[in-house]
Amino acid sequence: MRVAVYPGSFDPVTRGHLDIIKRAARIHEKLIVVVMKNSAKKPLFTVEERVELLRGCCEGIPNVCIDSYDGLTVNYCRMKHATLLVRGLRAVSDFENEIQIAQTNHALMPGIETMFLATGMRWSYLSSTIVKEAARYGSDVSKFVTPNVEAALHEKFKAQEE
Ligand code: ADP
């Protein structure tokens, strides 16, 4: 079975990520969405919370499973015998960073290929950062995230206020 891995911070998962997950799941036999512990970013949600939110969003997709990993993406792929990495490209601004990551991963492990999916037009402006900013000031973010994520965002910011 060909296994594909979609790594990211998913802090939190947005409808843009979900669009990529659903489309990638149609192409690949098995898709693992993996929450990576990125040491360069200070996340709002813990890894466990992000995994739970992703699980809530992906319940209905049978060939998708959710995991987390603290380490290099290529090492995770090797462990899972995965040969394909999935990433989403929103705009030209994503390209420079994404090509660098893809080429580094390929240099580290030549057996691994990165496949880019172009973001759906509806979600090209959307990022986890923008969603967090909007939710922090009490905006309705239901257009951008699923109800479980919206509830978790409001709860998180309410707890931070107390
Ligand atoms: P990372 O910190 O690894 O960039 P993110 O969670 O921000 O993690 O993004 C994970 C992947 O999802 C990246 O390939 C990113 O380009 C893609 N992505 C982020 N937002 C969207 C969106 N709105 N539509 C499609 N893909 C997206």
Side-chain angles (χ1 to χ4, degrees), residues 16 89-91 93-94 118-127 130:
L89 275 185
R90 276 166 295 189
S93 50
D94 275 344
T119 298
M121 297 273 273
R122 280 181 79 182
W123 312 118
S124 57
Y125 61 91
L126 192 57
S127 69
I130 277 176

Side-chain angles (χ1 to χ4, degrees), residues 68-97:
S68 64
Y69 189 65
D70 184 1
L72 278 180
T73 306
V74 288
N75 290 342
Y76 181 81
C77 289
R78 182 172 19 209
M79 191 172 82
K80 296 288 173 182
H81 306 289
T83 50
L84 261 169
L85 277 169
V86 174
R87 296 284 286 178
L89 275 185
R90 276 166 295 189
V92 184
S93 50
D94 275 344
F95 183 78
E96 207 172 333
N97 186 37

Side-chain angles (χ1 to χ4, degrees), residues 2-8 20 24 28 30-34 36 72-78 81-88 98 101-109 111-117:
R2 254 228 331 244
V3 181
V5 169
Y6 179 26
I20 299 286
H28 304 296
K30 183 178 173 186
L31 178 71
I32 310 175
V33 182
V34 59
M36 302 300 290
L72 278 180
T73 306
V74 288
N75 290 342
Y76 181 81
C77 289
R78 182 172 19 209
H81 306 289
T83 50
L84 261 169
L85 277 169
V86 174
R87 296 284 286 178
E98 290 294 338
I101 298 171
Q103 287 171 339
T104 306
N105 286 336
H106 196 260
L108 290 173
M109 214 172 281
I112 291 180
E113 296 294 348
T114 301
M115 183 183 249
F116 294 107
L117 290 182

